[in-house]
Amino acid sequence: MSKNQNKTGSYSFFNCIEKNFDKAARFISIEKGLLEQIKACNSVYRMHFPVKIGKEIKVIEAYRVQHSHHKLPCKGGIRYSMKVNQDEIMTLAALMTYKCAIVDVPFGGAKGGIKIDPQTISSENIEKITRRYTSELIKKNFIGPGIDVPAPDYGTGEREMSWIFDTFLSLRSGDVDALACVTGKPVSQGGVRGRKEATGLGVFYGIRELCHVKEDMYSVGLDVGLVGKKIIIQGLGNVGYHSASFFHESGAIIIALAEREGAIYNEKGLNVSKVFLHLKNNGSILNFPEAKNIENTEKALELECDILIPAALENVIHKNNANRIKAKIIGEAANGPITPEADEILDKKGVIIVPDIYLNAGGVTVSYFEWLKNLSHVRYGRMEKKFRENVNAEFLKVIETVCKKKISIEEKKMILRGPREIDLVRSGLEDTMINGFHKIRDLKKSLKIENMRTAAFVLSINKIIDSYEKLGIFP
Ligand code: NAD
Protein backbone atom coordinates (compact mmCIF):
# COMPACT_ATOMS: atom_id res chain seq x y z
CA MET A 1 0.00 0.00 0.00
CA SER A 2 1.43 3.42 -0.92
CA LYS A 3 1.80 6.19 1.67
CA ASN A 4 -0.94 8.11 -0.19
CA GLN A 5 -3.54 5.37 0.30
CA ASN A 6 -5.86 5.22 3.30
CA LYS A 7 -6.45 2.09 5.44
CA THR A 8 -8.91 0.60 2.97
CA GLY A 9 -6.34 0.86 0.22
CA SER A 10 -8.18 3.54 -1.75
CA TYR A 11 -7.14 7.17 -2.17
CA SER A 12 -8.88 10.20 -0.73
CA PHE A 13 -9.34 12.96 -3.31
CA PHE A 14 -6.60 15.04 -1.67
CA ASN A 15 -4.29 11.99 -1.67
CA CYS A 16 -4.85 11.70 -5.44
CA ILE A 17 -3.41 15.18 -5.94
CA GLU A 18 -0.55 14.44 -3.53
CA LYS A 19 0.24 11.35 -5.59
CA ASN A 20 0.34 13.39 -8.81
CA PHE A 21 2.48 15.99 -7.04
CA ASP A 22 4.92 13.31 -5.82
CA LYS A 23 5.33 11.92 -9.33
CA ALA A 24 6.31 15.40 -10.52
CA ALA A 25 8.61 16.01 -7.55
CA ARG A 26 10.98 13.33 -8.97
CA PHE A 27 11.91 15.86 -11.65
CA ILE A 28 12.55 18.74 -9.22
CA SER A 29 15.65 19.07 -7.09
CA ILE A 30 14.65 21.11 -4.06
CA GLU A 31 14.62 20.36 -0.33
CA LYS A 32 11.81 17.98 0.64
CA GLY A 33 10.43 20.31 3.34
CA LEU A 34 9.86 23.03 0.79
CA LEU A 35 7.89 20.67 -1.43
CA GLU A 36 5.82 19.70 1.62
CA GLN A 37 5.05 23.39 2.20
CA ILE A 38 3.84 23.82 -1.38
CA LYS A 39 1.62 20.74 -1.04
CA ALA A 40 -0.04 21.68 2.27
CA CYS A 41 -3.29 23.64 2.59
CA ASN A 42 -2.54 26.97 4.31
CA SER A 43 -6.00 27.70 5.80
CA VAL A 44 -9.13 25.61 6.16
CA TYR A 45 -12.30 27.31 7.39
CA ARG A 46 -15.16 24.93 8.17
CA MET A 47 -18.36 26.60 9.29
CA HIS A 48 -21.90 25.81 10.39
CA PHE A 49 -24.58 28.48 10.35
CA PRO A 50 -28.34 28.50 10.85
CA VAL A 51 -30.78 29.51 8.12
CA LYS A 52 -34.55 29.61 8.50
CA ILE A 53 -36.08 27.57 5.69
CA GLY A 54 -39.89 27.63 5.82
CA LYS A 55 -40.78 27.21 9.49
CA GLU A 56 -37.64 25.24 10.35
CA ILE A 57 -34.12 26.30 11.24
CA LYS A 58 -31.58 24.32 9.18
CA VAL A 59 -27.91 24.10 10.09
CA ILE A 60 -25.82 24.55 6.95
CA GLU A 61 -22.33 23.06 6.59
CA ALA A 62 -19.91 25.06 4.44
CA TYR A 63 -16.20 25.53 3.71
CA ARG A 64 -13.62 27.93 2.35
CA VAL A 65 -10.10 26.63 1.88
CA GLN A 66 -7.09 28.73 0.94
CA HIS A 67 -4.48 26.31 -0.29
CA SER A 68 -1.63 28.71 -0.96
CA HIS A 69 -0.75 32.28 -0.03
CA HIS A 70 2.37 32.45 -2.22
CA LYS A 71 0.42 34.96 -4.34
CA LEU A 72 -2.53 37.05 -3.21
CA PRO A 73 -5.44 37.21 -3.50
CA CYS A 74 -6.46 33.58 -3.34
CA LYS A 75 -8.88 32.53 -6.03
CA GLY A 76 -11.30 29.68 -6.59
CA GLY A 77 -14.92 28.76 -7.24
CA ILE A 78 -17.72 27.93 -4.86
CA ARG A 79 -19.71 24.75 -5.38
CA TYR A 80 -23.14 23.78 -4.12
CA SER A 81 -23.58 20.04 -3.81
CA MET A 82 -24.59 17.42 -1.24
CA LYS A 83 -21.20 15.77 -1.87
CA VAL A 84 -19.27 18.80 -0.53
CA ASN A 85 -16.82 17.80 2.22
CA GLN A 86 -13.52 19.07 3.58
CA ASP A 87 -11.35 16.66 1.59
CA GLU A 88 -13.04 17.65 -1.68
CA ILE A 89 -12.74 21.39 -1.09
CA MET A 90 -9.09 21.07 0.02
CA THR A 91 -8.30 19.15 -3.15
CA LEU A 92 -10.07 21.61 -5.43
CA ALA A 93 -8.26 24.48 -3.70
CA ALA A 94 -4.91 22.76 -4.31
CA LEU A 95 -5.79 22.22 -7.98
CA MET A 96 -6.46 25.97 -8.23
CA THR A 97 -2.94 26.77 -7.01
CA TYR A 98 -1.33 24.52 -9.64
CA LYS A 99 -3.74 25.72 -12.34
CA CYS A 100 -3.10 29.42 -11.74
CA ALA A 101 0.66 28.87 -11.89
CA ILE A 102 0.45 27.05 -15.24
CA VAL A 103 -1.48 29.85 -16.96
CA ASP A 104 0.48 32.66 -15.25
CA VAL A 105 -2.48 33.96 -13.28
CA PRO A 106 -1.01 35.62 -10.16
CA PHE A 107 -3.29 34.07 -7.52
CA GLY A 108 -2.99 31.47 -4.78
CA GLY A 109 -5.50 28.62 -4.99
CA ALA A 110 -8.73 28.52 -2.98
CA LYS A 111 -12.13 26.82 -3.10
CA GLY A 112 -15.44 27.06 -1.31
CA GLY A 113 -18.40 24.77 -0.93
CA ILE A 114 -21.82 24.63 0.67
CA LYS A 115 -23.39 21.26 1.37
CA ILE A 116 -26.81 21.79 -0.21
CA ASP A 117 -28.65 20.44 -3.23
CA PRO A 118 -29.61 23.57 -5.20
CA GLN A 119 -32.06 21.53 -7.29
CA THR A 120 -34.30 20.89 -4.29
CA ILE A 121 -34.12 24.34 -2.64
CA SER A 122 -36.08 27.43 -3.75
CA SER A 123 -34.10 30.33 -5.18
CA GLU A 124 -35.18 32.52 -2.20
CA ASN A 125 -33.57 30.04 0.18
CA ILE A 126 -30.44 29.65 -1.99
CA GLU A 127 -30.15 33.44 -1.83
CA LYS A 128 -30.48 33.43 1.99
CA ILE A 129 -27.81 30.72 2.30
CA THR A 130 -25.46 32.49 -0.16
CA ARG A 131 -25.76 35.82 1.64
CA ARG A 132 -25.24 34.26 5.07
CA TYR A 133 -22.20 32.32 3.78
CA THR A 134 -20.74 35.56 2.40
CA SER A 135 -21.20 37.38 5.69
CA GLU A 136 -19.47 34.48 7.50
CA LEU A 137 -16.53 34.85 5.08
CA ILE A 138 -16.42 38.61 5.71
CA LYS A 139 -16.43 38.11 9.49
CA LYS A 140 -13.33 35.89 9.28
CA ASN A 141 -11.62 38.02 6.61
CA PHE A 142 -11.88 35.21 4.06
CA ILE A 143 -13.14 37.35 1.18
CA GLY A 144 -12.04 40.63 -0.43
CA PRO A 145 -10.41 41.96 -3.61
CA GLY A 146 -6.90 41.52 -2.17
CA ILE A 147 -7.66 38.55 0.12
CA ASP A 148 -9.73 35.84 -1.52
CA VAL A 149 -11.95 36.15 -4.60
CA PRO A 150 -14.60 33.45 -5.23
CA ALA A 151 -16.08 32.50 -8.61
CA PRO A 152 -18.69 30.05 -9.95
CA ASP A 153 -18.23 26.29 -9.87
CA TYR A 154 -20.47 23.22 -9.86
CA GLY A 155 -24.01 24.25 -8.92
CA THR A 156 -23.38 28.02 -8.91
CA GLY A 157 -23.36 30.75 -11.57
CA GLU A 158 -23.77 34.48 -12.22
CA ARG A 159 -26.80 34.74 -9.94
CA GLU A 160 -24.94 33.52 -6.84
CA MET A 161 -21.92 35.71 -7.67
CA SER A 162 -24.10 38.82 -7.82
CA TRP A 163 -25.61 37.99 -4.39
CA ILE A 164 -22.08 37.59 -3.01
CA PHE A 165 -21.04 40.95 -4.43
CA ASP A 166 -24.18 42.68 -3.14
CA THR A 167 -23.70 41.26 0.38
CA PHE A 168 -20.02 42.24 0.39
CA LEU A 169 -20.84 45.77 -0.77
CA SER A 170 -23.55 46.22 1.85
CA LEU A 171 -21.10 45.29 4.63
CA ARG A 172 -18.10 47.11 3.15
CA SER A 173 -19.76 50.18 1.67
CA GLY A 174 -17.25 52.75 0.49
CA ASP A 175 -14.75 50.12 -0.66
CA VAL A 176 -14.02 51.50 -4.11
CA ASP A 177 -12.70 48.09 -5.27
CA ALA A 178 -15.63 46.08 -3.92
CA LEU A 179 -16.58 44.83 -7.42
CA ALA A 180 -13.34 42.82 -7.46
CA CYS A 181 -14.39 40.74 -4.41
CA VAL A 182 -15.91 38.05 -6.68
CA THR A 183 -15.74 37.13 -10.38
CA GLY A 184 -18.21 35.45 -12.72
CA LYS A 185 -20.71 38.27 -12.10
CA PRO A 186 -23.28 39.25 -14.73
CA VAL A 187 -21.91 41.87 -17.16
CA SER A 188 -24.48 44.37 -15.87
CA GLN A 189 -22.86 44.06 -12.41
CA GLY A 190 -19.20 44.40 -13.29
CA GLY A 191 -18.71 41.03 -14.97
CA VAL A 192 -16.57 40.70 -18.08
CA ARG A 193 -17.92 39.62 -21.45
CA GLY A 194 -16.84 36.06 -22.20
CA ARG A 195 -16.55 34.76 -18.59
CA LYS A 196 -19.61 32.51 -18.71
CA GLU A 197 -18.29 30.39 -21.60
CA ALA A 198 -14.58 30.81 -20.73
CA THR A 199 -13.93 27.38 -19.20
CA GLY A 200 -15.63 25.58 -22.08
CA LEU A 201 -13.86 27.72 -24.66
CA GLY A 202 -10.52 27.06 -22.93
CA VAL A 203 -11.23 23.32 -23.10
CA PHE A 204 -11.91 23.72 -26.83
CA TYR A 205 -8.70 25.73 -27.45
CA GLY A 206 -6.59 23.20 -25.51
CA ILE A 207 -7.94 20.14 -27.33
CA ARG A 208 -7.78 21.93 -30.70
CA GLU A 209 -4.10 22.68 -30.09
CA LEU A 210 -3.38 19.02 -29.30
CA CYS A 211 -5.25 17.89 -32.41
CA HIS A 212 -2.95 20.02 -34.53
CA VAL A 213 0.22 18.26 -33.33
CA LYS A 214 0.97 15.65 -36.00
CA GLU A 215 3.28 13.55 -33.80
CA ASP A 216 0.72 13.26 -30.99
CA MET A 217 -2.18 12.51 -33.31
CA TYR A 218 -0.25 9.80 -35.17
CA SER A 219 0.77 8.27 -31.81
CA VAL A 220 -2.91 7.47 -31.14
CA GLY A 221 -3.77 6.66 -34.74
CA LEU A 222 -5.76 9.82 -35.47
CA ASP A 223 -5.60 12.36 -38.29
CA VAL A 224 -4.52 15.93 -37.64
CA GLY A 225 -7.29 18.49 -36.93
CA LEU A 226 -10.60 18.59 -35.10
CA VAL A 227 -12.96 18.30 -38.06
CA GLY A 228 -14.76 14.96 -38.06
CA LYS A 229 -13.41 13.84 -34.65
CA LYS A 230 -16.02 11.87 -32.68
CA ILE A 231 -16.57 13.37 -29.24
CA ILE A 232 -18.48 12.31 -26.11
CA ILE A 233 -19.22 14.86 -23.37
CA GLN A 234 -20.37 14.07 -19.84
CA GLY A 235 -22.30 16.90 -18.11
CA LEU A 236 -24.28 19.53 -19.96
CA GLY A 237 -23.84 22.31 -17.40
CA ASN A 238 -21.77 25.45 -17.84
CA VAL A 239 -18.49 23.80 -18.84
CA GLY A 240 -19.93 20.83 -20.75
CA TYR A 241 -22.51 22.82 -22.71
CA HIS A 242 -20.08 25.50 -23.86
CA SER A 243 -17.32 22.98 -24.74
CA ALA A 244 -19.87 20.95 -26.70
CA SER A 245 -21.06 24.05 -28.59
CA PHE A 246 -17.54 25.13 -29.58
CA PHE A 247 -16.59 21.59 -30.71
CA HIS A 248 -19.83 21.31 -32.69
CA GLU A 249 -19.27 24.69 -34.39
CA SER A 250 -15.71 23.70 -35.34
CA GLY A 251 -16.86 20.64 -37.31
CA ALA A 252 -16.26 17.94 -34.70
CA ILE A 253 -19.06 15.38 -34.26
CA ILE A 254 -20.69 15.16 -30.84
CA ILE A 255 -21.85 11.54 -30.87
CA ALA A 256 -23.03 11.32 -27.24
CA LEU A 257 -24.00 13.59 -24.36
CA ALA A 258 -24.42 12.26 -20.83
CA GLU A 259 -26.36 13.80 -17.95
CA ARG A 260 -27.40 12.53 -14.48
CA GLU A 261 -30.57 10.82 -15.74
CA GLY A 262 -29.00 9.05 -18.73
CA ALA A 263 -27.24 9.68 -22.02
CA ILE A 264 -28.20 10.18 -25.66
CA TYR A 265 -26.35 8.87 -28.70
CA ASN A 266 -26.31 9.48 -32.43
CA GLU A 267 -23.38 8.19 -34.47
CA LYS A 268 -23.93 10.89 -37.09
CA GLY A 269 -23.78 13.69 -34.52
CA LEU A 270 -26.05 15.64 -32.17
CA ASN A 271 -27.04 19.27 -32.66
CA VAL A 272 -25.90 20.72 -29.31
CA SER A 273 -28.19 23.77 -29.20
CA LYS A 274 -31.22 21.63 -30.10
CA VAL A 275 -30.32 19.18 -27.31
CA PHE A 276 -29.93 22.05 -24.86
CA LEU A 277 -33.36 23.42 -25.82
CA HIS A 278 -34.84 19.92 -25.40
CA LEU A 279 -33.22 19.74 -21.92
CA LYS A 280 -34.64 23.15 -20.96
CA ASN A 281 -38.15 22.25 -22.17
CA ASN A 282 -38.32 18.73 -20.77
CA GLY A 283 -36.00 18.79 -17.76
CA SER A 284 -34.07 15.85 -19.24
CA ILE A 285 -31.88 15.10 -22.25
CA LEU A 286 -33.55 11.70 -22.68
CA ASN A 287 -36.01 11.10 -25.55
CA PHE A 288 -34.29 13.64 -27.80
CA PRO A 289 -35.97 12.92 -31.19
CA GLU A 290 -32.77 12.44 -33.19
CA ALA A 291 -30.98 10.11 -30.75
CA LYS A 292 -31.01 6.76 -28.93
CA ASN A 293 -31.36 6.77 -25.13
CA ILE A 294 -28.70 5.13 -22.94
CA GLU A 295 -30.34 4.56 -19.56
CA ASN A 296 -27.12 3.89 -17.62
CA THR A 297 -25.35 7.23 -18.00
CA GLU A 298 -21.93 5.83 -17.01
CA LYS A 299 -22.00 3.49 -20.02
CA ALA A 300 -21.72 6.53 -22.31
CA LEU A 301 -18.12 6.98 -21.18
CA GLU A 302 -17.28 3.55 -22.57
CA LEU A 303 -18.54 4.08 -26.12
CA GLU A 304 -16.18 4.07 -29.11
CA CYS A 305 -15.00 7.67 -29.77
CA ASP A 306 -11.90 9.76 -30.47
CA ILE A 307 -12.21 12.27 -27.62
CA LEU A 308 -13.94 11.92 -24.26
CA ILE A 309 -14.66 15.06 -22.25
CA PRO A 310 -15.79 14.45 -18.66
CA ALA A 311 -17.31 17.81 -17.61
CA ALA A 312 -19.40 16.94 -14.55
CA LEU A 313 -17.72 15.68 -11.39
CA GLU A 314 -14.61 14.02 -9.99
CA ASN A 315 -13.66 10.30 -9.95
CA VAL A 316 -15.98 9.26 -12.78
CA ILE A 317 -13.22 7.23 -14.48
CA HIS A 318 -11.89 4.73 -11.95
CA LYS A 319 -10.14 1.37 -11.77
CA ASN A 320 -13.40 -0.50 -12.50
CA ASN A 321 -14.22 1.20 -15.80
CA ALA A 322 -10.84 2.49 -17.06
CA ASN A 323 -10.12 -0.69 -19.02
CA ARG A 324 -13.38 -0.29 -20.91
CA ILE A 325 -12.72 3.31 -21.98
CA LYS A 326 -12.15 3.37 -25.76
CA ALA A 327 -11.36 7.08 -26.25
CA LYS A 328 -7.91 7.90 -27.62
CA ILE A 329 -7.86 11.32 -25.97
CA ILE A 330 -9.44 12.34 -22.66
CA GLY A 331 -9.80 16.07 -21.98
CA GLU A 332 -10.35 16.70 -18.27
CA ALA A 333 -12.86 19.56 -18.34
CA ALA A 334 -14.07 18.63 -14.83
CA ASN A 335 -11.72 18.72 -11.86
CA GLY A 336 -10.25 15.32 -10.98
CA PRO A 337 -12.44 13.10 -13.17
CA ILE A 338 -9.79 10.31 -13.32
CA THR A 339 -8.57 8.46 -10.21
CA PRO A 340 -4.81 7.65 -9.92
CA GLU A 341 -5.49 3.93 -10.50
CA ALA A 342 -7.43 4.72 -13.67
CA ASP A 343 -4.72 7.13 -14.74
CA GLU A 344 -2.15 4.31 -14.68
CA ILE A 345 -4.42 1.94 -16.63
CA LEU A 346 -5.12 4.59 -19.29
CA ASP A 347 -1.45 5.55 -19.50
CA LYS A 348 -0.55 1.92 -20.23
CA LYS A 349 -3.21 1.86 -22.97
CA GLY A 350 -1.53 4.91 -24.56
CA VAL A 351 -4.47 7.27 -24.09
CA ILE A 352 -3.49 10.96 -24.19
CA ILE A 353 -4.89 12.64 -21.07
CA VAL A 354 -5.03 16.44 -21.16
CA PRO A 355 -5.02 17.27 -17.43
CA ASP A 356 -7.52 19.42 -15.54
CA ILE A 357 -4.84 21.70 -14.05
CA TYR A 358 -4.23 22.96 -17.56
CA LEU A 359 -7.38 22.22 -19.58
CA ASN A 360 -10.04 23.85 -17.42
CA ALA A 361 -7.92 26.91 -16.55
CA GLY A 362 -9.88 29.09 -19.01
CA GLY A 363 -12.36 30.04 -16.29
CA VAL A 364 -9.76 31.37 -13.86
CA THR A 365 -7.90 33.07 -16.71
CA VAL A 366 -10.95 35.12 -17.68
CA SER A 367 -11.80 35.62 -13.99
CA TYR A 368 -8.37 37.26 -13.75
CA PHE A 369 -9.34 39.55 -16.65
CA GLU A 370 -12.58 40.40 -14.82
CA TRP A 371 -10.70 41.16 -11.58
CA LEU A 372 -8.31 43.45 -13.48
CA LYS A 373 -11.25 45.19 -15.16
CA ASN A 374 -12.90 45.74 -11.77
CA LEU A 375 -9.72 47.16 -10.24
CA SER A 376 -9.05 49.43 -13.22
CA HIS A 377 -12.68 50.62 -13.29
CA VAL A 378 -12.71 50.65 -17.09
CA ARG A 379 -14.19 48.35 -19.72
CA TYR A 380 -11.70 46.56 -22.00
CA GLY A 381 -11.46 48.30 -25.37
CA ARG A 382 -12.95 51.60 -24.15
CA MET A 383 -9.71 53.54 -24.57
CA GLU A 384 -8.49 52.06 -27.85
CA LYS A 385 -11.54 50.99 -29.88
CA LYS A 386 -12.19 54.27 -31.69
CA PHE A 387 -8.47 55.00 -32.06
CA ARG A 388 -7.94 51.58 -33.75
CA GLU A 389 -10.90 52.19 -36.05
CA ASN A 390 -9.46 55.56 -37.14
CA VAL A 391 -6.02 54.05 -37.78
CA ASN A 392 -7.60 51.16 -39.71
CA ALA A 393 -9.57 53.64 -41.84
CA GLU A 394 -6.33 55.42 -42.77
CA PHE A 395 -4.74 52.06 -43.70
CA LEU A 396 -7.74 51.21 -45.82
CA LYS A 397 -7.47 54.47 -47.75
CA VAL A 398 -3.78 53.78 -48.49
CA ILE A 399 -4.50 50.18 -49.55
CA GLU A 400 -7.29 51.30 -51.89
CA THR A 401 -5.11 54.03 -53.44
CA VAL A 402 -1.92 51.95 -53.81
CA CYS A 403 -3.56 48.69 -54.93
CA LYS A 404 -6.27 50.46 -56.99
CA LYS A 405 -8.60 47.75 -55.76
CA LYS A 406 -12.19 48.21 -54.67
CA ILE A 407 -12.69 46.63 -51.28
CA SER A 408 -16.16 45.17 -50.62
CA ILE A 409 -18.40 46.51 -47.84
CA GLU A 410 -18.05 43.22 -45.93
CA GLU A 411 -14.22 43.33 -46.17
CA LYS A 412 -14.25 46.99 -45.08
CA LYS A 413 -16.36 46.17 -42.01
CA MET A 414 -13.88 43.47 -41.02
CA ILE A 415 -10.79 45.65 -41.52
CA LEU A 416 -12.20 48.77 -39.86
CA ARG A 417 -13.42 47.06 -36.68
CA GLY A 418 -11.73 48.15 -33.45
CA PRO A 419 -11.41 45.62 -30.60
CA ARG A 420 -14.45 45.07 -28.37
CA GLU A 421 -14.21 43.65 -24.86
CA ILE A 422 -15.24 40.18 -26.02
CA ASP A 423 -12.53 40.19 -28.74
CA LEU A 424 -9.81 41.11 -26.25
CA VAL A 425 -10.97 38.59 -23.65
CA ARG A 426 -11.17 35.75 -26.17
CA SER A 427 -7.80 36.52 -27.75
CA GLY A 428 -6.20 36.71 -24.29
CA LEU A 429 -7.75 33.35 -23.43
CA GLU A 430 -6.73 31.73 -26.73
CA ASP A 431 -3.15 32.92 -26.36
CA THR A 432 -3.00 31.66 -22.76
CA MET A 433 -4.30 28.20 -23.66
CA ILE A 434 -2.01 27.83 -26.68
CA ASN A 435 1.07 28.92 -24.69
CA GLY A 436 0.17 26.70 -21.75
CA PHE A 437 -0.20 23.66 -24.00
CA HIS A 438 3.20 24.12 -25.65
CA LYS A 439 5.00 24.85 -22.38
CA ILE A 440 3.72 21.56 -20.94
CA ARG A 441 4.47 19.62 -24.13
CA ASP A 442 7.98 21.06 -24.48
CA LEU A 443 8.80 20.22 -20.85
CA LYS A 444 7.39 16.71 -21.29
CA LYS A 445 9.71 16.17 -24.26
CA SER A 446 12.83 17.80 -22.84
CA LEU A 447 12.68 15.97 -19.47
CA LYS A 448 11.28 12.77 -21.04
CA ILE A 449 8.29 12.90 -18.67
CA GLU A 450 5.82 10.02 -19.07
CA ASN A 451 2.61 12.01 -19.53
CA MET A 452 1.07 15.48 -19.75
CA ARG A 453 -0.27 15.46 -16.19
CA THR A 454 3.15 14.97 -14.60
CA ALA A 455 4.67 17.54 -16.99
CA ALA A 456 1.95 20.05 -16.06
CA PHE A 457 2.67 19.51 -12.35
CA VAL A 458 6.43 19.97 -12.92
CA LEU A 459 5.80 23.22 -14.79
CA SER A 460 3.46 24.46 -12.07
CA ILE A 461 5.63 23.49 -9.08
CA ASN A 462 8.68 25.14 -10.67
CA LYS A 463 6.73 28.37 -11.11
CA ILE A 464 5.53 28.29 -7.49
CA ILE A 465 9.10 27.69 -6.26
CA ASP A 466 10.13 30.66 -8.38
CA SER A 467 7.58 32.94 -6.69
CA TYR A 468 8.57 31.74 -3.20
CA GLU A 469 12.21 32.47 -4.08
CA LYS A 470 11.29 35.97 -5.26
CA LEU A 471 9.52 36.53 -1.93
CA GLY A 472 12.77 35.51 -0.20
CA ILE A 473 10.97 32.74 1.71
CA PHE A 474 12.92 29.86 0.21
CA PRO A 475 16.72 29.98 0.20
P1 NAD B 1 -22.61 22.86 -13.55
O1 NAD B 1 -23.30 22.69 -12.26
O2 NAD B 1 -22.92 24.03 -14.40
O3 NAD B 1 -22.81 21.55 -14.47
C1 NAD B 1 -22.55 20.24 -14.08
C2 NAD B 1 -23.45 19.33 -14.92
O4 NAD B 1 -23.09 17.96 -14.66
C3 NAD B 1 -24.94 19.48 -14.56
O5 NAD B 1 -25.67 19.66 -15.75
C4 NAD B 1 -25.27 18.17 -13.86
O6 NAD B 1 -26.62 17.77 -14.04
C5 NAD B 1 -24.30 17.21 -14.55
N1 NAD B 1 -24.06 15.99 -13.80
C6 NAD B 1 -24.02 15.81 -12.45
N2 NAD B 1 -23.78 14.52 -12.15
C7 NAD B 1 -23.66 13.87 -13.34
C8 NAD B 1 -23.42 12.52 -13.70
N3 NAD B 1 -23.25 11.57 -12.77
N4 NAD B 1 -23.36 12.20 -15.02
C9 NAD B 1 -23.53 13.15 -15.97
N5 NAD B 1 -23.77 14.45 -15.68
C10 NAD B 1 -23.84 14.80 -14.39
O7 NAD B 1 -21.06 22.78 -13.20
P2 NAD B 1 -19.85 23.34 -14.05
O8 NAD B 1 -19.54 24.70 -13.59
O9 NAD B 1 -20.08 23.06 -15.49
O10 NAD B 1 -18.65 22.41 -13.50
C11 NAD B 1 -18.42 21.10 -14.03
C12 NAD B 1 -17.01 20.67 -13.66
O11 NAD B 1 -16.07 21.63 -14.20
C13 NAD B 1 -16.70 20.61 -12.16
O12 NAD B 1 -15.78 19.58 -11.94
C14 NAD B 1 -16.06 21.95 -11.88
O13 NAD B 1 -15.23 21.92 -10.74
C15 NAD B 1 -15.25 22.12 -13.15
N6 NAD B 1 -14.87 23.51 -13.44
C16 NAD B 1 -15.81 24.49 -13.59
C17 NAD B 1 -15.41 25.79 -13.90
C18 NAD B 1 -16.40 26.91 -14.16
O14 NAD B 1 -15.96 27.99 -14.61
N7 NAD B 1 -17.68 26.71 -13.95
C19 NAD B 1 -14.05 26.09 -14.00
C20 NAD B 1 -13.10 25.06 -13.86
C21 NAD B 1 -13.54 23.78 -13.58
Side-chain angles (χ1 to χ4, degrees):
M1 199 187 302
S2 113
K3 74 181 175 67
N4 287 319
Q5 281 169 294
N6 63 26
K7 283 182 195 139
T8 61
S10 61
Y11 296 98
S12 79
F13 195 18
F14 194 73
N15 292 155
C16 296
I17 304 304
E18 289 190 307
K19 192 170 154 67
N20 291 329
F21 185 104
D22 292 342
K23 280 187 187 164
R26 291 176 294 137
F27 295 90
I28 297 164
S29 49
I30 186 169
E31 207 184 305
K32 195 167 167 275
L34 305 180
L35 287 172
E36 292 300 321
Q37 165 57 28
I38 294 173
K39 251 201 284 188
C41 270
N42 289 178
S43 312
V44 179
Y45 177 22
R46 177 174 186 225
M47 65 198 99
H48 287 96
F49 51 80
V51 174
K52 195 155 186 200
I53 295 185
K55 288 189 179 140
E56 275 179 69
I57 291 180
K58 295 262 184 220
V59 178
I60 307 291
E61 181 181 331
Y63 300 85
R64 185 72 187 171
V65 173
Q66 295 171 350
H67 172 258
S68 177
H69 294 143
H70 76 288
K71 297 230 172 188
L72 287 172
C74 294
K75 187 93 189 76
I78 296 179
R79 63 168 51 182
Y80 290 179
S81 151
M82 285 310 287
K83 290 189 179 150
V84 160
N85 60 64
Q86 184 171 324
D87 176 70
E88 180 192 57
I89 301 301
M90 282 169 61
T91 312
L92 295 169
L95 285 174
M96 284 304 296
T97 296
Y98 306 126
K99 199 177 296 183
C100 289
I102 288 176
V103 288
D104 289 325
V105 164
F107 296 140
K111 204 78 180 189
I114 306 185
K115 192 171 175 180
I116 52 168
D117 179 1
Q119 295 203 318
T120 59
I121 303 179
S122 69
S123 61
E124 289 78 17
N125 287 325
I126 296 177
E127 178 174 357
K128 262 195 220 169
I129 294 168
T130 306
R131 289 186 181 277
R132 177 64 194 254
Y133 174 72
T134 311
S135 58
E136 293 294 326
L137 294 179
I138 295 171
K139 268 197 253 171
K140 291 277 192 290
N141 215 17
F142 259 70
I143 184 171
I147 300 166
D148 188 346
V149 182
D153 192 70
Y154 186 88
T156 59
E158 288 185 341
R159 182 184 68 167
E160 287 74 15
M161 301 308 115
S162 62
W163 290 331
I164 291 174
F165 162 61
D166 188 56
T167 310
F168 184 86
L169 187 65
S170 66
L171 294 170
R172 290 269 190 276
S173 70
D175 181 344
V176 73
D177 290 328
L179 265 180
C181 77
V182 62
T183 59
K185 304 177 289 295
V187 174
S188 59
Q189 289 203 35
V192 75
R193 287 161 186 83
R195 171 60 183 89
K196 210 199 280 184
E197 68 274 26
T199 310
L201 184 56
V203 168
F204 167 76
Y205 286 144
I207 296 293
R208 186 190 65 182
E209 207 50 28
L210 168 69
C211 289
H212 281 106
V213 180
K214 216 191 244 178
E215 192 187 336
D216 293 1
M217 288 302 96
Y218 288 178
S219 77
V220 287
L222 291 176
D223 291 334
V224 175
L226 252 183
V227 177
K229 293 263 182 315
K230 293 189 171 176
I231 301 186
I232 296 173
I233 297 185
Q234 182 196 43
L236 207 58
N238 177 301
V239 179
Y241 167 69
H242 287 110
S243 313
S245 303
F246 289 113
F247 283 123
H248 179 65
E249 278 166 27
S250 75
I253 305 167
I254 309 294
I255 58 164
L257 289 166
E259 256 296 329
R260 295 169 203 255
E261 66 279 8
I264 53 171
Y265 174 79
N266 181 342
E267 201 187 1
K268 296 206 170 78
L270 296 161
N271 181 318
V272 177
S273 41
K274 279 193 190 166
V275 174
F276 195 64
L277 198 67
H278 174 83
L279 170 66
K280 286 273 149 242
N281 292 339
N282 301 286
S284 164
I285 56 168
L286 293 177
N287 303 322
F288 181 65
E290 295 151 28
K292 272 192 238 159
N293 283 346
I294 301 171
E295 302 292 340
N296 181 351
T297 189
E298 284 177 22
K299 286 285 162 208
L301 303 175
E302 300 170 15
L303 296 170
E304 196 88 46
C305 69
D306 299 320
I307 305 172
L308 173 63
I309 307 280
L313 279 173
E314 52 267 18
N315 298 339
V316 293
I317 302 175
H318 40 77
K319 63 176 183 214
N320 300 325
N321 65 0
N323 259 320
R324 294 195 297 271
I325 301 287
K326 298 179 192 73
K328 303 191 173 73
I329 297 168
I330 302 180
E332 292 188 320
N335 282 310
I338 303 179
T339 66
E341 295 97 336
D343 222 15
E344 277 166 23
I345 297 170
L346 294 164
D347 248 358
K348 278 191 198 129
K349 284 171 65 161
V351 177
I352 300 179
I353 298 171
V354 188
D356 47 5
I357 55 167
Y358 155 68
L359 194 65
N360 68 31
V364 74
T365 303
V366 175
S367 273
Y368 170 48
F369 300 158
E370 180 176 334
W371 181 75
L372 291 173
K373 172 185 178 179
N374 295 154
L375 293 179
S376 67
H377 300 264
V378 64
R379 167 173 47 81
Y380 287 107
R382 179 168 176 182
M383 304 295 279
E384 66 266 43
K385 186 166 180 287
K386 192 67 201 154
F387 173 76
R388 271 274 135 239
E389 285 172 0
N390 291 342
V391 171
N392 292 348
E394 291 303 320
F395 271 134
L396 202 59
K397 265 193 223 157
V398 175
I399 292 169
E400 280 183 318
T401 320
V402 173
C403 303
K404 296 192 176 61
K405 182 181 180 288
K406 194 91 195 108
I407 290 175
S408 73
I409 294 178
E410 279 313 304
E411 284 169 333
K412 268 189 189 165
K413 260 196 206 158
M414 204 181 69
I415 297 168
L416 285 176
R417 198 162 63 93
R420 299 164 303 165
E421 183 167 86
I422 186 77
D423 303 320
L424 295 167
V425 165
R426 286 203 173 168
S427 70
L429 173 62
E430 185 174 9
D431 190 49
T432 304
M433 295 308 294
I434 292 173
N435 276 332
F437 177 83
H438 289 287
K439 278 188 197 151
I440 296 169
R441 195 173 180 279
D442 291 350
L443 196 68
K444 178 177 176 291
K445 284 200 100 176
S446 67
L447 296 184
K448 298 193 172 46
I449 301 174
E450 60 274 22
N451 56 42
M452 269 190 89
R453 189 189 311 285
T454 305
F457 267 92
V458 174
L459 177 68
S460 172
I461 297 166
N462 276 333
K463 287 193 179 187
I464 298 166
I465 291 171
D466 212 33
S467 345
Y468 270 115
E469 279 170 351
K470 283 193 184 119
L471 286 172
I473 296 172
F474 286 1

